[in-house]
Amino acid sequence: MQDQELIKKAFEARQRAYVPYSHFSVGAALETDDGQIFLGCNIENASYTPTVCAERTAFFKAVSEGHRSFRQIAIVGGYSKNEKRKEQTEVEMELDSFAPPCGVCRQVMAEFCDPESFRIILARSLQDYQSYTLKELLPLNFGPKDL
Ligand code: THU
């Protein structure tokens, strides 16, 4: 899938974030090797530690549906000036900054993805985005190869 299409799906997923504590909404769109897309959002909890990130929601949805090979993920997250205005009703597609995946999510990626080829797209908007390989974001990873 084209970068911008995948980013758009991540923005749609972000709308469903459950974030009553941080108000930091994150969305992810994960593409399998055979071109299927799984969406994820972050889901917080009153007890805080059960909170799950958007990226892991997407991965666990996909793996639990039988997928274990992945091509790329688009991630959008954070605050937006527009959302502070109460009348905002459309899907927000311009954020203040990029939201790099946390270390735990990078480790989950390392379980299932090729570090050299798996792409991690970080977007602020449909126009403003960057992409990295998993190896760039998690060098010298500990993974299935080490056991
Ligand atoms: N969060 C994600 O969804 N993905 C990340 O990689 C970083 C953090 C979420 C967790 C929590 O709901 C909120 O962002 C603030 O940490």
Side-chain angles (χ1 to χ4, degrees):
M1 175 172 277
Q2 297 290 317
D3 292 355
Q4 291 192 338
E5 284 179 85
L6 199 64
I7 293 166
K8 188 160 184 256
K9 287 187 179 294
F11 273 115
E12 287 164 10
R14 180 178 173 275
Q15 293 293 113
R16 295 197 280 274
Y18 175 74
V19 290
Y21 308 107
S22 74
H23 305 288
F24 189 93
S25 296
V26 185
L30 174 65
E31 183 174 8
T32 65
D33 262 350
D34 59 4
Q36 291 188 57
I37 309 296
F38 288 85
L39 303 183
C41 61
N42 52 335
I43 304 169
E44 299 188 341
N45 188 280
S47 186
Y48 290 9
T49 54
T51 293
V52 65
C53 293
E55 299 90 321
R56 272 176 291 146
T57 302
F59 267 92
F60 295 158
K61 283 172 68 180
V63 173
S64 66
E65 296 294 327
H67 299 273
R68 292 187 181 174
S69 304
F70 301 100
R71 191 177 289 167
Q72 55 185 349
I73 190 169
I75 304 165
V76 299
Y79 304 112
S80 126
K81 289 179 191 72
N82 293 338
E83 281 168 338
K84 291 186 182 122
R85 287 192 243 113
K86 289 269 184 288
E87 69 275 15
Q88 178 76 26
T89 51
E90 289 172 14
V91 177
E92 176 56 47
M93 293 220 226
E94 182 163 359
L95 302 179
D96 295 348
S97 54
F98 299 103
C102 80
V104 175
C105 290
R106 294 179 201 204
Q107 184 64 27
V108 168
M109 293 173 193
E111 188 68 27
F112 296 104
C113 305
D114 173 10
E116 312 267 354
S117 64
F118 184 69
R119 290 180 76 223
I120 299 163
I121 301 168
L122 307 182
R124 278 187 56 240
S125 68
L126 290 180
Q127 288 75 37
D128 190 7
Y129 65 91
Q130 337 171 320
S131 88
Y132 302 89
T133 63
L134 177 56
K135 191 175 180 180
E136 288 175 306
L137 296 194
L138 191 65
L140 203 68
N141 79 70
F142 181 85
K145 66 183 182 330
D146 298 303
L147 287 178

